């Protein structure tokens, strides 16, 4: 009993740490993409429109982050509907952005720390850490909510449903109350068939 619980706990910790590490890598690359695209746009083609440049950079980094988390970090938990995942992903990222902005607002208006350094620390360090914690939990429990079997069958078949499923009907399961397997059976022959005495 204790050994079984210990094995389950160690398996969960190993899986969680792998997810956290992959999540961190995807987030780091997305941060680089966001920063690089933003700096390139404001120093060249969009030097007179920094707000639009930032919106484009954030949108591209968010798209990369969704794909990286869907197909790598949480590939064993991705669902059958990409559109629903993407909408939930964007919503959770907007909330994460609100957390970071809220940290800056709290530091600036409540604590009275108005320097650029204080705003950077509150938004890009404290706020980012809090937002990353929220995003990880949100992705794991609200965005990527599939199971390993669903993800594997979608990956192998490329279909929206497992190959033995049509809607809510499981074609592999025997009919309820039939008491028979789904394989066809040969009809039973009569005991008197071919008997010359009959």
């Amino acid at each position: 009993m204790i050994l079984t619980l210990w094995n389950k706990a160690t398996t969960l910790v190993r899986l969680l740490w792998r997810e956290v590490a992959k999540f961190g890598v995807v987030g780091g690359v997305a941060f680089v993409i966001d920063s690089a695209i933003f700096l390139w746009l404001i120093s060249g083609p969009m030097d007179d429109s920094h707000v639009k440049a930032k919106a484009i950079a954030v949108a591209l980094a968010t798209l990369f982050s969704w794909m990286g988390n869907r197909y790598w970090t949480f590939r064993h938990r991705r669902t059958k509907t990409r559109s629903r995942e993407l909408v939930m992903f964007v919503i959770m990222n907007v909330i994460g952005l609100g957390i970071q902005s809220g940290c800056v607002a709290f530091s600036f208006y409540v604590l009275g720390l108005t320097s650029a350094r204080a705003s950077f620390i509150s938004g890009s360090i404290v706020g980012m850490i809090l937002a990353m914690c929220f995003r990880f939990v949100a992705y794991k429990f609200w965005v990527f909510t599939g199971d390993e079997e669903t993800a594997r069958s979608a990956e192998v078949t490329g279909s929206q449903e497992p190959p033995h499923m049509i809607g809510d009907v499981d074609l592999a399961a025997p009919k309820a109350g039939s008491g028979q397997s789904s394989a066809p059976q040969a009809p039973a022959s009569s005991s008197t068939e071919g008997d010359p005495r009959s």
Side-chain angles (χ1 to χ4, degrees):
M1 176 71 176
I2 296 177
L3 183 61
T4 302
L5 292 175
W6 173 256
N7 289 337
K8 288 183 178 180
T10 53
T11 301
L12 180 62
V13 169
R14 283 199 301 268
L15 176 62
L16 189 62
W17 276 110
R18 282 199 300 269
E19 288 180 345
V20 169
K22 291 178 179 180
F23 175 77
V25 170
V26 171
V29 175
F31 176 77
V32 171
I33 290 173
D34 181 2
S35 302
I37 292 175
F38 180 59
L39 290 173
W40 172 67
L41 289 174
I42 63 175
S43 61
M46 301 183 74
D47 59 345
D48 58 341
S49 184
H50 291 194
V51 175
K52 290 180 182 178
K54 186 60 177 176
I56 292 172
V58 168
L60 292 175
T62 300
L63 183 61
F64 167 81
S65 179
W66 171 66
M67 292 180 65
N69 283 298
R70 175 178 171 80
Y71 293 105
W72 189 42
T73 308
F74 300 106
R75 63 178 301 176
H76 58 289
R77 294 177 56 85
R78 64 178 189 250
T79 63
K80 294 179 288 186
T81 52
R82 293 185 184 92
S83 57
R84 177 255 175 207
E85 265 186 11
L86 183 56
V87 169
M88 290 296 295
F89 189 86
V90 170
I91 291 173
M92 297 308 161
N93 273 275
V94 169
I95 295 174
L97 180 60
I99 291 172
Q100 289 182 257
S101 301
C103 288
V104 174
F106 182 81
S107 172
F108 193 91
Y109 294 109
V110 177
L111 300 181
L113 304 174
T114 58
S115 67
R117 182 179 180 182
S119 292
F120 177 80
I121 291 173
S122 60
S124 296
I125 297 179
V126 177
M128 183 175 287
I129 291 171
L130 294 176
M132 283 184 65
C133 292
F134 166 78
R135 286 187 181 109
F136 180 79
V137 173
Y139 295 169
K140 188 172 180 64
F141 294 105
W142 297 317
V143 179
F144 303 104
T145 56
D147 55 31
E148 191 167 356
E149 182 179 354
T150 301
R152 187 168 55 247
S153 65
E155 185 176 285
V156 171
T157 65
S159 64
Q160 292 294 311
E161 295 177 338
H164 62 277
M165 295 291 294
I166 297 180
D168 295 329
V169 180
D170 188 349
L171 300 179
K175 294 180 180 179
S178 65
Q180 298 178 354
S181 66
S182 58
Q185 297 179 355
S189 60
S190 171
S191 61
T192 60
E193 184 178 351
D195 190 341
R197 294 175 298 176
S198 61

